Amino acid sequence: MTSPIALPLTAGEMVFGVSGEGEIRRTVMPSGVRILSEKVPGARSVTLGYWVAVGSRDEVAAEAGADGAHAGSLGSTHFLEHLLFKGTPSRTAFDIAEAFDSVGGEHNAVTAKEYTCYYGKIRDRDLEMAVDVMSDMITSSEIDAEEFETERGVILEELAMAEDDPSDVASERLFEAVLGAHPLGRPIGGNPETIRAASRDAVVEHYRVNYRPNDIVITAAGSVDHDELVTWVVRGLEAAGWDLGVAATPVSRRLKTRADLTRGSALTVIDRPIEQANIALGFPGLVISDDRRPVMSAMNAILGGGMSSRLFQEVREKRGLAYSVYSFASAYSDAGVFGMFAGASPKKAAEVARVMLGELEGIATGGVTEQELRRVKGQLAGSTALALEDTDTRMSRLGRAEIGQGEFYDYDASIALLEAVTAADVQSLAAEMAGGELSIVSVGKADGTALGAIGEGC
């Protein structure tokens, strides 16, 4: 398969083959529940995910309430991610944990900026159990008042742990600096103020509004029989009282129109008594629907995607300025961030920032060599193939395709797009990134005046 497969919300049943002799099946039920599976030859395990297209960006100020789909008070998504593991009328929190532990399985959840996913990994023989337990969790969480307060403390400790990691702090503040007041600029997990202010009523309303049949996407990859999966899902959801006979169209996917951004800040300096300065440089990036995302992958790999990248070679190998240095790109429905990061001595922070910026500008003005381009194409093709050896990656690929663009890119299709990238494409995109508004974030004891002078020169 060398072209993406469209996933229309109105299609009832789809079946198509994928590279590696696998098969993907997709069922859209009359109620709007979407079920996708990828059968992986030779696998003995299954990774199962329950998705809703609601993330931290969809929260609103507490006083605005939750009066429609894709809305919840600040902190609701993170609270709910925790609380769905805390018990239903038929299972205690211990029952849920024991169900997976007793078969050697794993279960967890992730809140992202544009979705929430609850997932488990089990042997194929235990998939029926996993569907039963996770369907119960998704549909029937009690959101007990006492558990709510207990989990408030747990989340505050989780945030405190992240606050003690300067690289996490730099990353969160960089998104805020680049994206400004846009909801994508907020921290995914919330902050202590929003978590302390969150009410159980608001979280219950968020649950009621956003966890409905036509919101739910269920994906599985590994040793899975699609017909059995559908049967078990239907049984689990109906046992919770969901009427799957009521016709409903799956919730619409997000609009892909680029947002009009206003930079949050050009320079953010957070003073911390630590040994290193954590320096992050960021620019507005690409949106998820941009056709140049393969170009971004190639440019990012050349600039800071590995030990042979320009940043690693110049900053670490030649100059010895940092141990950790890399670049990254994050794309969402209507905004994105492209950035670079390094941890260095506070006295050398400004020098490191100038060198990183100079490497990006070097690609923008001088381009890349054909040798570099061939290397990163091989690097990206190989790393993608290795990642797809894992059923977790395949399950996640299905969920993000269904919730995001509504298109599935198989390995062969992805590599074909990558192979079409030219050196001129990379140089053009680098010039666009380097010409954007620069935001600099420092966490540590760096000289803010010296860092600010770098931004003034851009």
Side-chain angles (χ1 to χ4, degrees):
M1 181 199 308
T2 57
S3 299
I5 298 295
L7 304 172
L9 293 177
T10 54
E13 296 285 340
M14 295 180 66
V15 182
F16 51 92
V18 293
S19 56
E21 300 181 352
E23 179 184 83
I24 289 178
R25 292 184 59 183
R26 176 177 183 257
T27 298
V28 180
M29 303 181 67
S31 60
V33 174
R34 287 164 282 171
I35 305 170
L36 298 89
S37 70
E38 180 173 1
K39 189 172 184 63
V40 181
R44 296 295 302 275
S45 66
V46 183
T47 304
L48 173 70
Y50 281 62
W51 304 69
V52 289
V54 180
S56 59
R57 70 165 295 168
D58 301 302
E59 299 169 343
V60 296
E63 62 267 20
D67 56 2
H70 289 178
S73 67
L74 296 176
S76 291
T77 52
H78 194 182
F79 252 112
L80 200 54
E81 175 207 321
H82 282 244
L83 290 167
L84 260 59
F85 291 90
K86 293 304 177 182
T88 71
S90 60
R91 287 182 174 88
T92 65
F94 182 81
D95 292 335
I96 293 171
E98 184 182 42
F100 284 89
D101 286 350
S102 64
V103 297
E106 305 168 2
H107 70 302
N108 211 327
V110 58
T111 299
K113 290 183 182 290
E114 296 193 318
Y115 63 79
T116 308
C117 178
Y118 305 83
Y119 60 91
K121 187 170 187 176
I122 58 281
R123 290 182 298 173
D124 50 7
R125 63 186 291 179
D126 300 312
L127 178 58
E128 183 177 6
M129 175 279 296
V131 171
D132 186 42
V133 173
M134 294 180 69
S135 294
D136 191 27
M137 287 170 47
I138 293 295
T139 61
S140 306
S141 177
E142 291 189 302
I143 312 183
D144 177 78
E146 184 174 342
E147 291 282 7
F148 183 86
E149 292 306 323
T150 299
E151 216 55 31
R152 192 195 303 273
V154 171
I155 294 172
L156 288 171
E157 290 300 325
E158 181 184 358
L159 295 180
M161 181 176 67
E163 187 67 17
D164 282 344
D165 185 336
S167 62
D168 275 2
V169 175
S171 176
E172 293 282 15
R173 296 301 292 270
L174 184 67
F175 272 75
E176 178 183 324
V178 173
L179 301 177
H182 192 288
L184 286 168
R186 294 196 300 256
I188 291 174
N191 57 51
E193 290 72 27
T194 61
I195 296 303
R196 290 191 183 100
S199 70
R200 177 178 176 272
D201 286 346
V203 174
V204 169
E205 180 69 1
H206 173 73
Y207 184 39
R208 184 192 67 80
V209 167
N210 294 296
Y211 285 61
R212 306 164 299 178
N214 62 331
D215 288 293
I216 302 298
V217 172
I218 299 165
T219 62
S223 178
V224 54
D225 180 283
H226 186 80
D227 292 328
E228 288 183 340
L229 175 65
V230 171
T231 297
W232 296 334
V233 166
V234 170
R235 185 179 66 196
L237 298 182
E238 289 184 338
W242 280 18
D243 186 352
L244 302 184
V246 176
T249 303
V251 291
S252 300
R253 297 183 176 106
R254 297 178 191 274
L255 296 176
K256 305 301 191 295
T257 304
R258 176 178 284 278
D260 184 14
L261 299 175
T262 299
R263 181 173 60 176
S265 66
L267 176 65
T268 303
V269 177
I270 302 170
D271 188 71
R272 290 280 181 88
I274 53 180
E275 294 297 318
Q276 280 195 319
N278 291 258
I279 308 300
L281 279 62
F283 303 87
L286 302 184
V287 299
I288 197 170
S289 58
D290 197 306
D291 291 338
R292 296 173 297 168
R293 286 191 65 198
V295 181
M296 175 63 86
S297 295
M299 188 198 80
N300 182 56
I302 290 171
L303 179 64
M307 294 176 68
S308 59
S309 69
R310 292 192 180 191
L311 287 180
F312 193 94
Q313 288 296 311
E314 187 66 28
V315 175
R316 175 170 163 163
E317 297 295 279
K318 293 181 182 179
R319 300 175 183 250
L321 293 172
Y323 174 77
S324 176
V325 58
Y326 57 88
S327 61
F328 62 91
S330 299
Y332 303 96
S333 58
D334 59 352
V337 172
F338 173 72
M340 297 173 282
F341 172 88
S345 164
K347 293 181 180 179
K348 298 180 178 179
E351 181 183 357
V352 170
R354 282 194 297 270
V355 173
M356 289 195 293
L357 190 59
E359 290 303 313
L360 173 62
E361 292 172 342
I363 297 177
T365 58
V368 300
T369 67
E370 289 298 328
Q371 181 181 356
E372 284 181 303
L373 194 56
R374 285 196 302 272
R375 171 176 56 79
V376 299
K377 287 180 178 180
Q379 174 186 341
L380 293 169
S383 62
T384 301
L386 293 177
L388 290 174
E389 294 290 315
D390 186 355
T391 57
D392 294 12
T393 300
R394 290 178 179 266
M395 182 281 291
S396 182
R397 178 174 64 164
L398 289 175
R400 286 184 281 107
E402 180 64 47
I403 285 177
Q405 289 182 264
E407 291 182 325
F408 176 84
Y409 285 81
D410 186 32
Y411 176 80
D412 291 339
S414 298
I415 300 308
L417 291 173
L418 178 64
E419 287 295 338
V421 173
T422 68
D425 293 333
V426 173
Q427 181 175 0
S428 175
L429 182 58
E432 180 179 327
M433 293 298 105
E437 284 191 313
L438 170 66
S439 292
I440 301 175
V441 172
S442 169
V443 180
K445 302 294 290 186
D447 183 345
T449 301
L451 287 171
I454 297 171
E456 291 171 2
C458 297

